[in-house]
Amino acid sequence: MTVALEARPGRSRPSLVGHNLTMASGIGLGVSMLWFSLLVLIPLAAVMVTASSGGWAEFWRSITNDQTAAAIRLTVTAAAVVTLANIVTGTAIAWVLVRDRFPGKGLLELVIDIPFALPTIVAGLVLLSLYGNDSPLGLHLANTEWSIYLAFLFVTLPFVVRMVQPVLEELDLEVEEAAASLGASRATIFRRVVLPSLAPAIAAGAALSFARAVGEYGSLVLLSGNLPFESEVTSVRILSAIENDNQAAATSIAAVLLVISLLVIVALDVLQRRVARRG
Amino acid sequence: MSIDVSGVNKRYGDFVALQDINLSLPTGQLTALLGPSGGGKTTLLRIIAGLETADSGSVVIEGVEATRLPVQKRNVGFVFQHYAAFKHLSVARNVAFGLEIRKKPKAEIRAKVDELLQLVHLDAFADRLPSQLSGGQRQRMALARALAIEPSVLLLDEPFGALDAKVRKELRDWLRRLHDEVHVTTVFVTHDQEEALEVADEIVVVNEGRVEQVGSPDQLYDEPANDFVMGFLGEVTTLGDLRLRPHDIEVTTSPAPAATQGTVTRALRVGFEVRVTVSVPDQDVPVTVVMTRTHARALRLEAGSAVWLVAAEGATAVTSSRPSARPSVEPVAG
Amino acid sequence: MAETRRAAAGPATYLLRVFVIAYLVLLVAWPVVLVGTNTFANGTQALTDVFADPDMVAALRLSAIAAVVATVINTVFGVTISMLLVRKQFPGKRVLSALIDLPLSVSPIVVGLALMLVYGGRNGWFGPTVEDWGLQVVFATPGIVLATAFVSLPLVIREVVPVLHELGTEQEQAAQSLGASGWQTFWRITLPSIKWAVIYGVVLTLARSLGEFGAVKVVSGNVLGETRTATLAVEERYLNFDQEGAYAVAFLLASVSVLAILVVFVLRARGTRHRAFERQS
């Protein structure tokens, strides 16, 4: 058998490309792919192409510019810290929503989704009202590095919760009861029985949360003050490069963010398949 | 012939689902496709319906070459194991669906739906949603829906498989009576040999992608073509080099000519029967014998009793051999 | 889950409950409520001012138009793609299903930049050509629609795909065996079955579209009365020391978001009850 022929044994019909599209669904796929390419794929490719057009040296110089490097460092650090925090609080929130019962729990369900649906610029304003200069709590976080953490925590709140919650709901309580009957304490049950089942969902939520934080812009506009070397994030750097007509710098920094997004997507794909298999 | 299947082959990757199937089913008959799960019977039914395409071979329905016809054009009624009820439509709209697709006049649809709902005893439930029906009711609705289009053949895929034992038995009798009323050529898939023996005019035994035997329930039971058919249709035990049914063994408590001697190890009462386990020298597996309680009492059987076993006259038996070989079937004479 | 799945209430349970409630109140609930109270600090004056300002009304209208158009596009596209991903086999399917989620994880500023690079009127890849056809994309409404459609693209798909999976194909096969064509099967059987998922998707898409800020900021040009959307107006008002105006528009936008969440929440609760009932019967 030659390589070119590569007839797979067991395949009775030599289905050329392995599809079962009818005429109508073929057209549907074609039109959808065209739209998806025009809207998403080609523009994102344009970012990568433009970023690489100046060569590696140019790219490297753009992203290692002192102010840019500081912004990237701050963004990635804050996104990582916030994601770690979300892993703990998100799982805790999901746990309370699924396992605990108390009056007003339904209200918490609503509150969780607000950061997702709220316009980001409004989110910034919302946070300013409690943590800005008129803070009723006396917490003046606006225009400091902490405002970045605060905004990230706000906009990424739903991700881990919403990934973990359905998995926790489907979890078979009998397995935990079995573990308890075998003498495991509640902490041990959580660590050895519950947590392993939740792990892929937590990881998927964490990936989404990290990606969202790294690219965040709207909620910071009013809140962070965008002070260079202190509270300026990567997206803001890209925007100022665009406004200064410095396309090379803008696309270079954007390419860095895009690579992070792509990595997250790959991780998500792997994790979601794992969640599906466990479910 | 209503359904003619010839030379049908079907594979899924490396798995051979059907291998050179040839089958002719006469008009108006109720046929069971019987076999173990994964044996290919559902695949065969779905190929007849057009829900699956064969890799090769042809399907002719009522004289119409249907091999290349899509399911929509075959005019077959198909009933699914899990009912496939249209959950958002009322019972009446479910039954009317095929007629609406065929753009029949409203009055005609209404009359037909009423008639069918009466036939399946669901006339009181016309405006309910499927979720408000029991499993058995849903399956009757699915049957009425399939009958509404006046199909040339009615195909049922494990129609009672998802129901509990009691409802299953009721629906089984009901299907038989219904078929006697409407006389549409019907094929149903089942893995329950009792169901097939009780309901069908003819049984097709399908195993490992092949047709093992076709015949009436009596033929299959009395003259199984091979070891597999015999084993699938009822319990089988081994006595010497014979494989036969446990109730086809005669037991005596004194030596008899050509009888095998053994010792009762266990006598278990199951309802009206007694299952006696007899260990026999030169045989690893003990013999199982089934007899009535009266008979067992008369013989005073208990663990330790010495007994003599012989195949009953006219018993259905096959000569046992290695599993791969196909044994010949021979009625035992005396 | 209808039945109680309550862990035996020990001190840990209460501690966790108090922590979660406190966290959510401090991070979300309290600040959101403050926006409301700030808006109504001077009664309804701030809101009536917004509606009296023609530029603000224009901004709100533009946001609404862009959101509706983007939602319509994303709904048609989303349902089509979901059907293809779940029901069909074709090469590249797995890659497509992963890439569909990409807009959720791309920075809005990068989205805006990417669209500029391709549709920019001066030196974009396609921009000059499209402009020759008489269609200005960037710094005009089409660009705003594109940016809005980009960021909210996966939302319908993420709602519909799992429901299609769960639905299975038996009902569709039954419809086909009764003579329904592919098109009839879709309209009469599939679409009614996924109706609620599509509606959740639409509501979420609408909310997300209405609130898009970063991507729109890059491609819109932010021209007063022409390409300034409501979210851009919030920023402009705030930076121009018109806090009251900013809070008023923010309040309007937040109300729509909260309303959207409420709608989805109520529909979901309904759906869960319905499913529980079905399982029971």
Side-chain angles (χ1 to χ4, degrees):
Chain A
M1 189 164 68
T2 64
V3 180
L5 278 172
E6 204 194 11
R8 263 184 277 173
R11 277 272 171 122
S12 49
R13 258 181 313 173
S15 53
L16 257 172
V17 276
H19 71 81
N20 64 351
L21 296 169
T22 58
M23 174 89 132
S25 52
I27 293 170
L29 180 64
V31 172
S32 302
M33 282 313 296
L34 182 67
W35 171 245
F36 188 56
S37 305
L38 285 174
L39 183 66
V40 177
L41 298 181
I42 296 174
L44 293 183
V47 172
M48 300 307 264
V49 169
T50 316
S52 59
S53 62
W56 176 256
E58 172 76 30
F59 170 79
W60 192 247
R61 193 160 49 246
S62 293
I63 65 165
T64 50
N65 161 295
D66 278 351
Q67 199 180 337
T68 304
I72 294 178
R73 208 176 304 123
L74 170 64
T75 312
V76 172
T77 312
V81 169
V82 163
T83 300
L84 283 176
N86 278 335
I87 288 175
V88 178
T89 55
T91 309
I93 294 170
W95 180 273
V96 169
L97 289 180
V98 175
R99 293 290 172 91
D100 203 355
R101 286 216 315 180
F102 50 92
K105 202 180 84 170
L107 221 59
L108 290 193
E109 291 267 7
L110 280 181
V111 168
I112 304 286
D113 279 333
I114 287 181
F116 183 75
L118 208 62
T120 49
I121 184 78
V122 177
L125 206 57
V126 160
L127 291 172
L128 265 179
S129 66
L130 188 59
Y131 301 100
N133 293 332
D134 309 327
S135 169
L137 289 175
L139 281 169
H140 304 294
L141 301 182
N143 306 334
T144 68
E145 192 184 330
W146 299 113
S147 65
I148 310 286
Y149 289 83
L150 180 65
F152 284 6
L153 276 178
F154 184 90
V155 297
T156 59
L157 170 70
F159 293 111
V160 173
V161 180
R162 290 300 182 222
M163 289 301 287
V164 172
Q165 199 180 0
V167 181
L168 201 53
E169 266 166 9
E170 293 299 315
L171 217 58
D172 192 355
L173 208 55
E174 280 179 9
V175 178
E176 287 164 58
E177 286 165 356
S181 77
L182 295 168
S185 70
R186 285 181 63 184
T188 313
I189 293 173
F190 184 77
R191 193 165 44 82
R192 307 248 318 238
V193 178
V194 178
L195 212 50
S197 318
L198 300 183
I202 294 176
L208 275 176
S209 151
F210 183 76
R212 175 68 207 265
V214 162
E216 183 52 25
Y217 170 71
S219 60
L220 298 168
V221 174
L222 305 178
L223 186 65
S224 75
N226 304 326
L227 309 169
F229 300 101
E230 191 179 339
S231 63
E232 190 183 44
V233 293
T234 319
S235 291
V236 174
R237 283 300 290 162
I238 301 176
L239 192 67
S240 28
I242 295 173
E243 280 165 355
N244 295 331
D245 237 349
N246 186 351
Q247 210 177 58
T251 53
S252 298
I253 312 169
V256 174
L257 289 192
L258 208 48
V259 167
I260 295 178
S261 304
L262 279 170
L263 288 177
V264 167
I265 285 300
V266 171
L268 261 185
D269 185 60
V270 171
L271 288 168
Q272 275 175 346
R273 256 150 230 278
R274 198 164 296 172
V275 174
R277 212 172 330 133
R278 293 233 181 136
Chain B
M1 287 293 155
S2 182
I3 302 174
D4 274 293
V5 175
S6 43
V8 161
N9 285 285
K10 176 77 183 175
R11 315 175 68 146
Y12 297 102
D14 288 338
F15 177 72
V16 180
L18 293 173
Q19 203 175 4
D20 193 26
I21 300 286
N22 295 287
L23 206 57
S24 287
L25 304 175
T27 307
Q29 196 172 264
L30 180 51
T31 307
L33 294 181
L34 174 68
S37 324
K41 54 197 191 310
T42 292
T43 307
L44 178 57
L45 193 77
R46 290 173 63 89
I47 286 175
I48 295 173
L51 290 167
E52 213 79 62
T53 32
D55 298 337
S56 60
S58 73
V59 176
V60 176
I61 299 174
E62 295 286 357
V64 178
E65 164 62 44
T67 316
R68 300 262 157 254
L69 274 185
V71 56
Q72 288 94 341
K73 303 263 170 67
R74 291 199 188 189
N75 203 42
V76 295
F78 199 96
V79 175
F80 294 80
Q81 181 177 2
H82 299 286
Y83 332 120
F86 302 141
K87 290 186 183 145
H88 60 292
L89 299 179
S90 69
V91 170
R93 292 284 312 277
N94 259 277
V95 176
F97 187 89
L99 301 170
E100 285 175 7
I101 292 290
R102 285 164 177 73
K103 303 219 161 46
K104 300 277 187 205
K106 280 228 166 68
E108 188 187 326
I109 295 180
R110 201 170 313 129
K112 183 87 191 172
V113 169
D114 285 348
E115 178 199 327
L116 280 163
L117 287 179
Q118 252 164 26
L119 184 72
V120 300
H121 308 302
L122 285 177
D123 30 343
F125 299 90
D127 298 321
R128 300 245 186 128
L129 284 176
S131 58
Q132 295 165 297
L133 300 184
S134 71
Q137 288 169 333
R138 276 184 231 185
Q139 196 56 298
R140 296 208 308 263
M141 179 195 83
L143 204 56
R145 184 175 72 182
L147 288 172
I149 60 169
E150 291 175 7
S152 35
V153 296
L154 181 62
L155 308 172
L156 304 98
D157 183 11
E158 298 262 7
F160 315 129
L163 302 168
D164 59 51
K166 187 163 168 284
V167 180
R168 194 139 116 196
K169 213 158 167 62
E170 281 167 19
L171 269 187
R172 197 194 277 173
D173 299 342
W174 178 81
L175 174 68
R176 182 65 244 184
R177 285 202 308 275
L178 183 83
H179 182 262
D180 294 341
E181 265 176 67
V182 294
H183 282 299
V184 58
T185 310
T186 304
V187 183
F188 76 102
V189 159
T190 180
H191 62 259
D192 179 347
Q193 87 283 357
E194 202 186 307
E195 191 167 291
L197 291 171
E198 219 178 284
V199 179
D201 299 318
E202 188 168 73
I203 299 176
V204 178
V205 181
V206 180
N207 181 41
E208 289 178 349
R210 284 186 306 264
V211 172
E212 299 276 358
Q213 192 176 2
V214 183
S216 70
D218 285 350
Q219 275 173 336
L220 256 64
Y221 200 82
D222 296 338
E223 301 153 35
N226 55 45
D227 208 15
F228 173 80
V229 175
M230 173 145 185
F232 199 77
L233 286 186
E235 203 185 344
V236 177
T237 190
T238 307
L239 176 62
D241 57 356
L242 282 181
R243 309 246 303 135
L244 70 177
R245 309 239 179 258
H247 59 256
D248 274 345
I249 295 176
E250 278 178 6
V251 180
T252 51
T253 43
S254 53
T260 312
Q261 196 193 346
T263 314
V264 174
T265 53
R266 192 153 180 252
L268 181 68
R269 274 168 41 183
V270 184
F272 61 90
E273 316 176 318
V274 179
R275 302 173 62 84
V276 185
T277 313
V278 181
S279 69
V280 175
D282 316 326
Q283 197 174 318
D284 299 339
V285 191
V287 183
T288 306
V289 184
V290 174
M291 60 183 77
T292 62
R293 277 178 71 181
T294 329
H295 193 183
R297 212 178 301 134
L299 292 172
R300 296 166 192 275
L301 291 182
E302 54 189 44
S305 309
V307 288
W308 281 262
L309 307 177
V310 67
E313 196 167 332
T316 304
V318 296
T319 315
S320 67
S321 53
R322 284 176 304 279
S324 57
R326 302 237 160 170
S328 59
V329 179
E330 52 200 67
V332 179
Chain C
M1 287 294 118
E3 78 264 42
T4 326
R5 308 196 63 179
R6 185 169 21 173
T13 310
Y14 290 110
L15 220 65
L16 203 59
R17 186 191 299 174
V18 168
F19 164 75
V20 163
I21 294 175
Y23 183 76
L24 292 177
V25 165
L26 282 175
L27 190 62
V28 185
W30 193 355
V32 170
V33 169
L34 278 181
V35 169
T37 54
N38 286 354
T39 307
F40 294 105
N42 296 328
T44 53
Q45 187 59 41
L47 276 181
T48 42
D49 282 353
V50 167
F51 287 111
D53 180 348
D55 288 334
M56 287 311 290
V57 174
L60 288 170
R61 190 185 301 129
L62 177 60
S63 279
I65 289 172
V68 168
V69 174
T71 304
V72 169
I73 294 173
N74 280 342
T75 306
V76 175
F77 171 82
V79 173
T80 311
I81 283 285
S82 305
M83 287 294 291
L84 291 165
L85 285 178
V86 178
R87 294 285 188 259
K88 300 289 173 184
Q89 296 298 328
F90 53 91
K93 186 170 122 169
R94 182 167 175 186
V95 177
L96 178 62
S97 94
L99 283 178
I100 284 291
D101 279 340
L102 197 54
L104 278 187
S105 70
V106 176
S107 165
I109 299 296
V110 175
V111 172
L113 174 66
L115 291 172
M116 289 277 282
L117 290 174
V118 173
Y119 299 104
R122 222 166 2 113
N123 46 14
W125 285 6
F126 306 152
T129 320
V130 177
E131 214 147 274
D132 285 346
W133 299 341
L135 182 69
Q136 193 192 348
V137 178
V138 165
F139 302 139
T141 310
I144 296 174
V145 171
L146 279 186
T148 308
F150 187 121
V151 296
S152 57
L153 177 121
L155 299 178
V156 169
I157 300 170
R158 287 179 75 89
E159 292 295 327
V160 172
V161 162
V163 177
L164 269 180
H165 267 299
E166 201 186 328
L167 183 64
T169 55
E170 248 194 14
Q171 290 186 52
E172 289 165 17
Q173 288 177 2
Q176 284 170 354
S177 78
L178 294 167
S181 67
W183 199 239
Q184 284 171 319
T185 306
F186 174 74
W187 282 106
R188 285 166 177 259
I189 302 301
T190 315
L191 197 57
S193 309
I194 59 172
K195 180 174 63 182
W196 292 115
V198 175
I199 292 174
Y200 305 148
V202 166
V203 172
L204 291 176
T205 307
L206 207 56
R208 183 81 179 78
S209 300
L210 207 55
E212 182 43 32
F213 173 71
V216 169
K217 185 174 180 176
V218 177
V219 297
S220 74
N222 201 359
V223 180
L224 183 68
E226 273 180 45
T227 61
R228 174 171 300 164
T229 63
T231 49
L232 295 174
V234 173
E235 182 195 19
E236 182 264 344
R237 284 291 150 113
Y238 191 86
L239 296 180
N240 288 330
F241 305 104
D242 176 9
Q243 285 212 15
E244 214 166 64
Y247 274 115
V249 181
F251 174 78
L252 285 176
L253 290 169
S255 307
V256 175
S257 313
V258 172
L259 192 70
I261 297 170
L262 260 173
V263 168
V264 171
F265 184 73
V266 170
L267 291 179
R268 277 237 165 91
R270 211 191 99 110
T272 316
R273 265 207 308 281
H274 193 68
R275 268 204 303 281
F277 174 74
E278 246 172 37
R279 219 174 287 154
Q280 207 176 58
S281 59

